Amino acid sequence: MDTIVYPGTFDPVTNGHVDVIERGARLCDQLVVGVAAISYKTPIWSLSERVAMVRDATRHLANVEVEGFDDLLVHFMHRHGARFMLRGLRPVSDFDYEVQFAWANRHLDPAVDIVYLMSSQDHFFVSSTLIKQIYEGGGDIRDLVPQAVADRIVAGLSRARGGQHD
């Protein structure tokens, strides 16, 4: 496979994301991480901040490119000449959403196929939402996010929560 796109919001990027990126990068010549603008949500970090954090977390991977996008995923894939997208799956919790996501994208472009990688056992419980919940409850999230961006994630969560947990 020449190019695979791994889309997500990465608000914030987690060790689980990086694990999927590292493993996915072995499957292709180029892995493009597409950071979605997500206008229907209220992200903690801006698109440019999320792109920068994913770039810093994946800097060690020569065949990984990170780019933000604010249109349909299939349009982003077309711009990169990609027919395949990569998705990570955690046990059971992601399956219903991923089926809907796959069917919607196949409806928009029947040539799109999805490659799923099961999350590593060490990261199967980690999600961006869980990171926010743990932090909000006063927990330490530094071992769940990439070390390269841990300070920025903690600062962003603190800023979003009005300066608590500094």
Side-chain angles (χ1 to χ4, degrees), residues 66-136:
V66 182
E67 183 181 322
F69 70 99
D70 63 0
D71 58 342
L72 287 174
L73 173 57
V74 294
H75 295 163
F76 182 77
M77 291 178 68
H78 291 164
R79 285 195 301 278
H80 289 279
R83 285 189 325 109
F84 293 92
M85 81 173 72
L86 174 67
R87 300 291 291 172
L89 280 177
R90 291 169 292 193
V92 183
S93 63
D94 291 339
F95 188 76
D96 286 341
Y97 173 79
E98 289 299 333
V99 168
Q100 291 175 346
F101 185 78
W103 285 339
N105 282 290
R106 290 294 302 273
H107 171 77
L108 294 169
D109 183 349
V112 167
D113 271 312
I114 303 177
V115 176
Y116 293 98
L117 290 178
M118 290 299 299
S119 295
S120 295
Q121 195 170 6
D122 292 344
H123 306 295
F124 80 92
F125 69 94
V126 179
S127 70
S128 295
T129 300
L130 183 67
I131 298 294
K132 294 171 196 173
Q133 292 170 339
I134 290 171
Y135 183 83
E136 191 170 292

